[in-house]
DNA sequence: ACCCTGATGCTCT
DNA sequence: GAGCATCAGGGTG
């Protein structure tokens, strides 16, 4: 942990219910102080996953995969999706509750070159192709993309805490107010009608 | 712009 | 064995 680092403390993650936290996280910075260097981005899109929600991984069952979701708020839950992508969540609410906030998009702030390299490397690995340079807007626009760009790894970060790992969140850089848009979540088969998606209105880095 | 598809592997039934 | 909180590429309009 760096001296003078202003990461959000445990009390922040404990202070709100899941849907409120999903909104409070908007405008905050997600930071990875990795061996490659620092990368960070403003959180511009989140989704809430609640206990009574069939889309929630911890819905009506507790399994080994979702165990981190039952840990303290502020715990990092990373899971593999479609065999080749990962998504990152902030565990919310209370211990043993099983709720979380999915981070869906970032507006890149620091380490943009590193993000580009990581994304192109990931693409090459999964597609076996060399691809064209990835535009700034596409670096972190989507949950799988931002995990690649930020260098987040399930094997490293899953079940760690944002309070004391090299992955953490800091408060908004500017105190400027912003408008939050509420909409239906994306890409779900179950629970598709819940209005649990939050984004910064008119921000071009929001997915879709 | 939209629509469709394939890639790929873990998790739970 | 089915399902999956995705992404990229290629087709069509």
């Amino acid at each position: 942990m760096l001296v003078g680092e202003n990461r959000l403390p445990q009390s922040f993650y404990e202070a709100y219910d899941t849907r409120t936290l999903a909104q409070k996280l908007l405008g905050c910075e997600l930071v990875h102080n990795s061996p490659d260097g620092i990368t960070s981005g403003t959180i511009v899109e989140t989704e809430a996953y609640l206990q009574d929600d069939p889309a929630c991984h911890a819905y009506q069952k507790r399994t080994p995969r979702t165990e981190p979701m039952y840990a303290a708020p502020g715990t990092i839950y990373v899971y593999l999706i479609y065999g080749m992508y990962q998504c990152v969540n902030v565990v919310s609410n209370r211990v043993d509750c099983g709720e979380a906030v999915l981070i869906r998009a970032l507006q890149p702030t620091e380490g943009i070159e590193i993000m580009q390299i990581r994304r192109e490397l990931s693409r090459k690995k999964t597609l076996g192709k060399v691809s064209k340079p990835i535009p700034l807007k596409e670096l972190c626009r989507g949950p799988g993309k931002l995990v690649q760009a930020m260098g987040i790894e399930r094997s490293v970060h899953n079940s760690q805490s944002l309070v004391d790992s090299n992955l953490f969140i800091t408060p908004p850089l500017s105190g400027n107010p912003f408008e939050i848009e509420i909409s239906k979540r994306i890409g779900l088969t179950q629970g598709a009608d819940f209005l649990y998606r939050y984004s910064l209105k008119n921000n071009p880095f929001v997915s879709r």
Side-chain angles (χ1 to χ4, degrees):
Chain A
M1 251 191 267
L2 270 58
V3 181
E5 182 189 275
N6 61 335
R7 76 170 68 202
L8 291 166
Q10 184 65 41
S11 57
F12 173 83
Y13 301 102
E14 291 172 349
Y16 310 104
D17 65 272
T18 298
R19 282 173 292 179
T20 306
L21 181 67
Q23 294 171 74
K24 293 283 181 186
L25 288 171
L26 293 176
C28 293
E29 297 288 311
L30 180 65
V31 185
H32 186 196
N33 186 2
S34 80
D36 309 334
I38 293 180
T39 47
S40 67
T42 309
I43 299 171
V44 298
E45 180 183 353
T46 58
E47 282 180 356
Y49 287 86
L50 306 203
Q51 220 177 11
D52 60 352
D53 162 14
C56 182
H57 285 182
Y59 178 62
Q60 289 185 345
K61 60 190 181 288
R62 188 162 173 159
T63 66
R65 177 180 64 147
T66 57
E67 202 53 35
M69 289 185 73
Y70 296 91
T75 297
I76 302 161
Y77 171 52
V78 186
Y79 68 91
L80 182 72
I81 186 70
Y82 296 110
M84 52 178 90
Y85 299 103
Q86 299 172 96
C87 295
V88 65
N89 292 255
V90 178
V91 173
S92 57
N93 206 329
R94 297 262 156 230
V95 171
D96 287 334
C97 181
E99 298 191 351
V101 176
L102 171 68
I103 313 285
R104 281 196 60 89
L106 302 176
Q107 171 168 350
T109 306
E110 282 178 284
I112 289 167
E113 305 260 312
I114 300 171
M115 291 189 187
Q116 259 151 2
I117 291 166
R118 286 188 183 132
R119 287 271 285 123
E120 279 165 30
L121 236 60
S122 303
R123 263 201 205 180
K124 213 178 287 185
K125 225 187 207 168
T126 49
L127 269 76
K129 278 195 235 186
V130 189
S131 52
K132 298 176 177 175
I134 298 162
L136 178 65
K137 267 181 60 175
E138 295 301 324
L139 281 181
C140 300
R141 182 145 96 154
K145 294 177 186 176
L146 77 89
V147 163
Q148 289 179 350
M150 291 289 288
I152 296 168
E153 292 258 14
R154 185 173 56 151
S155 59
V156 175
H157 297 105
N158 188 36
S159 83
Q160 297 288 302
S161 172
L162 291 164
V163 166
D164 56 21
S165 95
N166 68 354
L167 182 65
F168 56 94
I169 298 177
T170 61
L173 296 174
S174 87
N176 297 341
F178 41 72
E179 211 176 331
I180 295 176
E181 186 166 350
I182 303 181
S183 57
K184 291 183 182 178
R185 294 177 297 185
I186 294 202
L188 302 179
T189 51
Q190 313 236 21
D193 289 335
F194 288 102
L195 294 166
Y196 288 173
R197 176 172 176 245
Y198 309 95
S199 57
L200 295 189
K201 197 162 188 175
N202 299 325
N203 184 295
F205 295 89
V206 171
S207 74
R208 293 212 320 184

